[in-house]
Amino acid sequence: MAPVDEAEALAVLPPLPQPADIRANGRCDQRELDEWVQNVDDVSAQIKGIIDGTLTDFEALDHNMAIKERAKQIRHEELLQKRNRFFLYGNEGKGEGTKYKWWCKRCFVEYLIDLPQNTCTRCKQADKMMTQQERRDELMGKLEDYKKVRSSHQWRKDKWIRWKKSQALLGRSRNINYKAWEYWEPDTDTEDEGDPIVPRDNPEFLAMEADIKDRHKKAAEKSKTSEKCRERGNQCMKDGDFVGAIEHYEEGLEYKRDNKALWTNKALAELKVFRWHDAVASCNKVIEYSEIFEDGFKRSSDACFKAFMRRAAALRALHRWAEAVEDLEDAVKLFPKDKEARDLLEKTKAALREADQVQSLQAADATPAASEEAAPQGPVRIEIEESEDESDDDGANGASLSAAPSSLAGLSRSEFRSLLARLGREESERVLFCARRGGGGGGAAAARKEDTRKVDLKHVEEVLEPSRLDEAIKDVERCCVLFKKLQGNVVPLRADVKQLDGLDAQQKQEDKEARAFLRAAAPRAVAVLHVLAGSGSDHHCALTAPAVRHVWPLLACDEWRHPVLELLLEWSQRTISAKAMAEFAARHPEPHLRLLIDAVTTESKENMLPPGFEDRAKQASERFGADAGGAEALDSLFDEMVVGLSKSSPAELAVSILGNMCLPGQSIPAFRDVMAPFRVALVPALARQLKPMNWRLCGRSAGAVCNLLRLGDAFATAVEEECTKPLVTALRDEVGEADTSDGGSQPRSATPLMQALRAASGGGDAQMPGAKIPGMDGSAAKLLAALVNLLTVRPGSAQQLLDLGLLDVAVPVMDVEKASACVAPGASGEDGAEEVAARAALLVGRLLARAPAALSTRREDQLLRHIEGSLSGGRALVRAATAAAAAGGGDAEGIDKQGVERLELKVRMLAILVTKTPGALDRLTQRAPRVEELPDDAAVGQLDPEGGPAICFDRLVSRLVEIATAARPREHVAPDAASGPLSRLRGNLALLFGALCEAQAADNAPPALRGIDLAPLAEPFIDALRKESGGVQNNIGIFITKLAQNPRYKQKVRDLNGLESLHQIQLPRVEAQKAEATRKHRVETDSAARQAEVRRARSFRGLD
C-alpha cells in the first residue's frame, strides 16, 4: 500500500465555517463578538482622536491596524491546522461508540472522515481498518461468545456444587475423585481479563461490564485480605505461636483457596506442632493444583519444592519411607543443588533399606529374644496402679508400680541389662527395636493413585503397631510430665476453690508412685535413647529426636544430669536432631538453655570435674598410702586416674552441645535472638577456658567459639574483643613456634604428664580398656578453625592477629609432619594432622591476602618450600579432576576434591607472594641478595654462605606449567562451576604467569627468569579463555595480553588467534564503556541531552 499524501488527505476535509455563514445562520461566536466590539471601540477612539487633533501619525495607525489584521489571520490559520490534525489523525478510542466512520484495530484510533484509500494516517496500513458497523458486529459477536462461556462456566460450577453436596450426603471423605475435576471451578474468579471493551449503548454489555468489574473488585479485596492473613500468620511463626499461625493461614484460605504460600506455610506450622496428617493434606493441595492446572511443577517450582520437602518430613515422621523418598526425589529434580534436600534424600533411602531389612527379620523371626520382648498387639498405655508391696529385689520400679509389659519400667534389672547390651552390640536388635510393624517399607503405590503425586490420606492414616522405641519415648514423655508436676510446675488452685477432704493422702500416694516410676523409667529411657543416638546411624538418631523436648527438662535433676548431657551431646552431633534441639531451645529457652549456659559459666567443682572423679581419686590415694608406695601401687594409682578422667565433665559436655547447636541455629532467627542475652556471660567464660594446659576444655571451647561466630554481629564483636588474644596464645603454646635443629617443632604443653596421658588415651600398650580420655586429641585443629572463622566474619581483625605473631605460629604447622607433633598419636579426621595442616594453610592464605608484606623472610622460605612440595603430585590430581568435570561426573569416586581445593590454595598463596609481597620474586630469582637478620644465638649451620633462594626456581616453574597444562578445560565451563576450585586454579595460575611474563620482558630481568619458557602455556590458556567466564576469564585475558606484549611469545599468540579471541570477548565490554562515555560527554555538552537525562532519571525514580 502506497503511503498517504497529506495534501490528498486534506482535500477530503469539510470546509471551515466562515464568519459570514455564522451570521447568516443567526448564530455568533462569542470570541468574534468580542473582537467586533473591540474593533468598534478602536474605530470610535480613532475618529475621536482625528477630530480632537490628537491623532496625527496616520502611518503608525495604518501599521497597527495591519498588525492586528495579521494576528487575526494567524489565529484563523492555527484553528484551521488544529482542525485538520483532528480530522486527519483521528481520536484514540476502542471503537465502542457510534460517533465515528472508521476505526483502526492496530492503532485503536477513531476517524470521523473518509480517508483516502481507507488507509490509517498513523500506521500507514489499511488491513486493520474497520467501519463503525463492522466494529459493532465484531463486539456483538464477542458478547455472544462471552455469554456462552459464562453460561458454561455457571453450568460447571453448579454441577460441581451438586457433586460436593452429594459427597456430603454420602459421608465425608478425604479422598478426591479426579473425575470430578472436570466440573471444578474456583470459588473466586482470578483470571486476569482486563477491562472489557463493550458498546456503550448496549444495556446487555453494560450489565456484563459491571458484573465483571464487580467480580474483579471482590477478587482483589479477597486477595488483599488473604495476604494480610498470611502476614499475620508469618508473624505468629516468628513469635513461636504455631497454633495461632495455623488459624491465620486457614482464615486466609477462606478468602483465596489457590494461594500456594498459605498452604505451604500452614504445612510448616503443622509440622511444628506434630500434626503430620494435616501437613500431608496441606501439601497435597499445592501439589494437586500444580499437577492438574499447571501441567507440572515447573511454573510454581518454589512452592512445589516446599510442598514436597514438608510432605516428606511429615511422611518420615509417620515412617512412610517409600513415599518420602519419592517426594524428596521430586524436590531434588526441582532444585538439584539444594544440599538439605539431597542429604535428607540419602538418609531417607537408608531408612527405606532398613525398613526392607526389618520386614525380612520380622518374617524370619531370627531373634528369639526380640520376640519374647516384643510389644503387645494394639495400642499400649502405661498406667500406674496401686500396690501394697514396695520391695522387689529383682524389679527396678518397685512393686508399688505395675507397669505395662511394653514399658521399660516393667522390665527387671537383668532383663533391662540384657536389652541394653544387645542394643549396643547387635545392629539387627537396634533395627527391630526402632521398627514399627505393619508398614513403612515399600508399597508407595498403595499410598498414591496411578499417575498422580497425591498421597492417599486413607493409606497414610493407617495406624502402625508402635515400635519399642515409641514406647521408650512414651516412657520419657511421662517421666517429663511427672517430673514437672513434682517440681511444682502445675496450675495453682484459685483462692475460692477448696480442696476436698482426703485428697492430701491420695496426692501423697500418687506422688510416691510417680517418684518410683521416675526412678525406674527415666534413667532406663535415657540410657536406651543414648545407645540408639550414639550407634553411628543417622536414621536411628533421627528416630529418637522427638524425645528432645521430653529429655531436656530432666536436666534440672542432679541425679540424671550427666546421662542427659551425654544424650544431648549425641543428638547435637547429628543434623536432624541438632536442628530439633535448636528449635526447642528457641521456643523454650527457660530454663533449658539457661541450664546449659550455667554449666559453662559457673566454675564449680560439680561442673568442672567428671562425675565420681573426686571419690575415685580419694579412694585410689588411700590405697596408695596403705600400700606404702611402690612401682605397682603407682601404676595402679595412675590407672585409676585415667579411668576417672575417661568421662567428660558437665562443663565439657555443655560447651560441646552449645557449639554443635549453633550450626543449625544460625539459620533460625529465634535461636539467635534467645542466645543474644547470654552473650555477655558466655563469651568471656569460653575465653577463660582457652588455655593450653586446660586440655579438657580448650579444644571444646575453641570449637564453640568457632560456631558462635555464626550467630550474628553481636557475637562476632564479643568474640573479637574477648577471644582473639587467648586463641592465638593457646595456639602458640599448643603447636609451638620455636623450630628445633632438625626442623621439627615441639609443643610447649607437651609435659611428661601430658605425654603419659596421651599415650594412655591414644593407643599402645599403656591404653586402659574403655578409658579414652576426652580432649587428648589436641586442640590445634579447633583453635585454627576458630581463627579462620574469625577472619571470615571479621576481616578487620587481621591486623590484630598479625600483631600477635600468628603468621609465625601458623606457617610451620602447614607441614603435616610438624602438625603431627601437636596431635595425639593415631588421631584422624577433624583432629588429625592433615586437617591441622590444611586449616593452617587456609589461615595463612587469608592473612597473606590481607597483608602480603607481613611475612618475614624466614617464614617466606618455609612457605615456599612447603608450596613446592605440595605441587609435586598436582599434575595427576588436576588431570583426573579435569577429566571428571568434562564427563559431568564431579561427584565420581576416586576424585580427591579436598586435594584440588588445597592445591588451589597453595597456588593462590604463591600468586600473592609473587605479585604482592615486596621483593619476593627478586629473592626467588636471585635478582637481589637475601638479607636476613638472624638471632644472636644462631648456630653456624643456620647461615647460608651462598645466600641462594629457598627453592629451585626452574623446578617450581616447570611444575606449575605441568599443572596448568593438565588444567586445560575440555568443555565449556558451566555457570554454576565458574567459581569451582578448577576455575579458581586456572585464574590464579594466569595471574601468577602474567606476573612472571611481565617481569621476564623487562630489560634487567635476571638469568633465572629469562631462562624459563612460557610458550607451552599459550595454547591451553587461549583455549581456557574461550571456555571460561567472569573473573577467571578476565585473569586469563590479562595473561594472554602480556604474552602478546612479550616479543618472545607474540607470534605464538598470533598463530593461535589469541588476540582475535580476546577481542571478541572484550568487544561487548569495550563497546558498553564507549557508549557510556559518549552518553556522559553528550550530557555535559548538550543542553537538550542533559534535559532528556534529567527526565529519564526522574521517570526511573517514579516521579512525574
Side-chain angles (χ1 to χ4, degrees), residues 398-575:
S400 62
L401 181 64
S402 179
S406 59
S407 172
L408 293 174
L411 301 177
S412 65
R413 294 179 181 176
S414 59
E415 290 173 340
F416 176 72
R417 285 195 295 267
S418 175
L419 172 64
L420 201 64
R422 293 198 306 272
L423 288 176
R425 182 178 61 253
E426 302 175 10
E427 181 182 1
S428 60
E429 185 70 22
R430 294 193 295 269
V431 169
L432 289 172
F433 190 87
C434 297
R436 296 175 181 174
R437 289 181 177 268
R448 290 193 177 92
K449 294 189 176 181
E450 188 177 358
D451 297 332
T452 180
R453 297 294 296 114
K454 174 181 177 290
V455 173
D456 189 352
L457 289 175
K458 181 179 179 181
H459 178 78
V460 173
E461 287 179 350
E462 294 178 0
V463 179
L464 305 179
E465 182 180 332
S467 65
R468 298 293 304 277
L469 175 60
D470 294 332
E471 300 301 334
I473 294 177
K474 287 183 180 179
D475 281 351
V476 76
E477 180 181 3
R478 184 163 184 80
C479 289
C480 177
V481 173
L482 293 176
F483 178 74
K484 289 180 179 180
K485 181 180 179 182
L486 294 175
Q487 293 293 318
N489 296 331
V490 294
V491 179
L493 294 175
R494 299 199 312 267
D496 58 338
V497 177
K498 294 182 179 180
Q499 188 172 359
L500 297 176
D501 296 337
L503 289 183
D504 288 340
Q506 182 180 355
Q507 184 64 41
K508 290 181 180 179
Q509 180 63 22
E510 291 180 357
D511 292 346
K512 185 177 181 180
E513 293 175 354
R515 289 189 178 90
F517 182 82
L518 280 172
R519 285 194 301 270
R524 291 185 172 190
V526 171
V528 168
L529 293 174
H530 183 265
V531 170
L532 295 174
S535 63
S537 170
D538 287 335
H539 175 52
H540 291 164
C541 188
L543 292 179
T544 61
V548 168
R549 56 197 174 106
H550 308 310
V551 172
W552 204 329
L554 303 181
L555 189 60
C557 179
D558 293 337
E559 181 182 357
W560 307 321
R561 184 188 186 195
H562 196 268
V564 168
L565 283 173
E566 289 180 330
L567 176 55
L568 292 177
L569 177 61
E570 293 293 343
W571 274 332
S572 69
Q573 295 174 352
R574 304 287 179 176
T575 306

Side-chain angles (χ1 to χ4, degrees), residues 271-289:
L271 289 176
K272 298 295 184 182
V273 293
F274 313 107
R275 299 180 183 176
W276 313 122
H277 296 89
D278 293 341
V280 172
S282 298
C283 295
N284 272 349
K285 297 293 184 180
V286 178
I287 296 170
E288 285 175 333
Y289 186 90

Side-chain angles (χ1 to χ4, degrees), residues 664-681:
Q666 63 180 326
S667 59
I668 304 175
F671 180 80
R672 298 198 300 266
D673 294 340
V674 300
M675 282 290 292
F678 299 105
R679 179 186 68 254
V680 178

Side-chain angles (χ1 to χ4, degrees), residues 102-109 118 120 123 125-131 134:
W102 293 90
W103 181 73
C104 181
K105 194 173 183 179
R106 178 181 288 105
C107 304
F108 277 65
V109 177
N118 292 335
C120 176
C123 63
Q125 301 294 329
D127 55 338
K128 296 295 183 179
M129 294 293 291
M130 303 175 66
T131 64
E134 290 174 346

Side-chain angles (χ1 to χ4, degrees), residues 737-801:
E737 66 171 336
D739 291 341
T740 59
S741 59
D742 59 352
S745 179
Q746 181 67 25
R748 296 181 180 180
S749 58
T751 60
L753 177 60
M754 290 285 292
Q755 294 175 357
L757 290 175
R758 283 183 175 176
S761 177
D765 298 335
Q767 184 179 8
M768 295 292 296
K772 173 70 175 179
I773 302 179
M776 296 309 299
D777 290 338
S779 307
K782 295 182 176 63
L783 290 168
L784 288 167
L787 290 169
V788 169
N789 279 9
L790 178 60
L791 267 177
T792 304
V793 178
R794 289 287 181 181
S797 63
Q799 188 57 49
Q800 183 181 1
L801 294 174

